[in-house]
Amino acid sequence: MFAEQLAFQEFDFDLFPPIVTQARGFSGQSPRRQTSPNWSGAYITPRDGTVFSAIWAEFQVPTPNPPPGGGPSDDDRSSTWIGFDGQRRYYMSTLPQFGTAQDIKLNAGVPVRSFYAWWQWWVRDLNGQAFPIKLTAPAIHAGDLIMCYMQVASDRARVSFMMKNVTTRRFVHFFQDPPQPGWGQPFKVSGATAEWVTERPAIPPNPFPQPLPDYGTVDFRDCGATAVNMRTGATVERSLSGAKLIDMYVVRQNPERTVKISIPMQLDTTEFLTEFQ
């Protein structure tokens, strides 16, 4: 993934106003497909007494366009990311995640697009962690090929984030400790799932996700994860074999009905795509 010569970039974080407040994850029961109001993608679970310790993928940054039926001043948002956990309501649930955002806002009918890289260590019911943190580098553009890699420390309490913009050959690498809960034991990465997601966030105080732009498709390629046996230290690489797929939906009115707006399709054991509907 990082075999070519890399140009490391100095970078910093920009704090956004809170933009993600809805519950993360998905609902619905199905052997292979589940539904969510804000996620579309794929995830895998560990087996044989292991937990996930690394995840990776590459994808091409999509170009957002106004969805059909949008208004003249809509603010449509989408993000593409990889991450661990967060979708289940287990004790001290967290979600470290990492990827790109591609938004479009109509200003008097004129589309204004924005792209950036970001990371977040989301924690359920902890308002201070309800917002992403923008990376000032690498710069992100429509059509860029992006590689993302995350690795959990051996104590499960730190994560290494690596992103390479293959198109521009720019690379960033940093470490992050978990948020401080203020009570009980410190947060740790459980490694209960590894996921690859196209998402539509929300803007508070409205808890509902923003309209999803017409992003076309996002092709997640070379997807994989490492699982480790915490007792023996043995590791095994996992693919998308047996992955569960997540359909994103909205509720339309007149008549009231549920409509899927982003659907994943698995292509092989290392590749799948999400497609705007």
Side-chain angles (χ1 to χ4, degrees):
M1 179 180 288
F2 304 111
E4 295 181 0
Q5 183 176 353
L6 302 174
F8 286 83
Q9 287 194 267
E10 184 178 356
F11 69 101
D12 201 351
F13 298 144
D14 286 343
L15 296 183
F16 283 100
I19 68 168
V20 181
T21 59
Q22 77 278 11
R24 294 296 182 109
F26 43 87
S27 59
Q29 300 296 325
S30 168
R32 283 297 307 276
R33 301 197 80 94
Q34 299 180 336
T35 59
S36 167
N38 59 320
W39 282 16
S40 178
Y43 76 98
I44 56 177
T45 54
R47 55 182 180 234
D48 302 324
T50 63
V51 296
F52 288 119
S53 60
I55 182 174
W56 57 86
E58 67 176 19
F59 56 86
Q60 195 165 28
V61 177
T63 301
N65 289 297
S73 59
D74 280 357
D75 188 359
D76 306 322
R77 296 175 179 248
S78 67
S79 59
T80 308
W81 53 269
I82 63 175
F84 297 107
D85 306 328
Q87 79 284 5
R88 296 176 180 173
R89 292 185 178 273
Y90 49 81
Y91 179 62
M92 298 186 76
S93 170
T94 74
L95 168 58
Q97 53 187 150
F98 188 37
T100 67
Q102 40 279 331
D103 304 333
I104 181 169
K105 183 176 179 64
L106 293 180
N107 186 1
V110 178
V112 179
R113 296 176 177 86
S114 61
F115 304 88
Y116 48 88
W118 61 273
W119 74 276
Q120 183 177 359
W121 199 319
W122 181 85
V123 179
R124 189 182 304 279
D125 300 325
L126 190 62
N127 292 334
Q129 297 304 124
F131 52 89
I133 298 176
K134 181 179 179 180
L135 299 177
T136 59
I140 304 296
H141 317 87
D144 284 353
L145 181 61
I146 303 298
M147 287 181 176
C148 290
Y149 182 90
M150 297 169 61
Q151 185 168 5
V152 183
S154 59
D155 64 358
R156 315 296 299 179
R158 203 179 199 209
V159 175
S160 170
F161 297 82
M162 287 175 270
M163 178 182 289
K164 178 182 179 182
N165 187 324
V166 181
T167 304
T168 63
R169 296 189 177 181
R170 298 302 190 212
F171 175 80
V172 295
H173 178 207
F174 59 95
F175 300 88
Q176 287 296 321
D177 295 322
Q180 296 301 313
W183 71 89
Q185 299 297 314
F187 291 115
K188 293 188 176 183
V189 181
S190 69
T193 62
E195 51 252 350
W196 300 262
V197 174
T198 295
E199 181 180 7
R200 60 182 189 127
I203 302 177
N206 187 345
F208 296 101
Q210 287 294 105
L212 181 70
D214 181 352
Y215 66 86
T217 62
V218 174
D219 188 358
F220 291 84
R221 292 176 287 188
D222 296 328
C223 300
T226 298
V228 59
N229 186 308
M230 295 299 292
R231 183 177 59 85
T232 66
T235 61
V236 60
E237 288 196 1
R238 291 282 309 280
S239 69
L240 294 175
S241 178
K244 291 183 171 61
L245 304 178
I246 312 165
D247 298 329
M248 188 189 303
Y249 70 89
V250 296
V251 178
R252 306 285 193 200
Q253 301 297 324
N254 300 319
E256 183 173 313
R257 63 202 186 279
T258 298
V259 178
K260 294 180 180 180
I261 58 173
S262 180
I263 295 178
M265 179 175 63
Q266 189 166 344
L267 303 178
D268 58 33
T269 58
T270 63
E271 182 178 4
F272 77 98
L273 60 82
T274 60
E275 183 175 16
F276 181 84
Q277 300 294 302

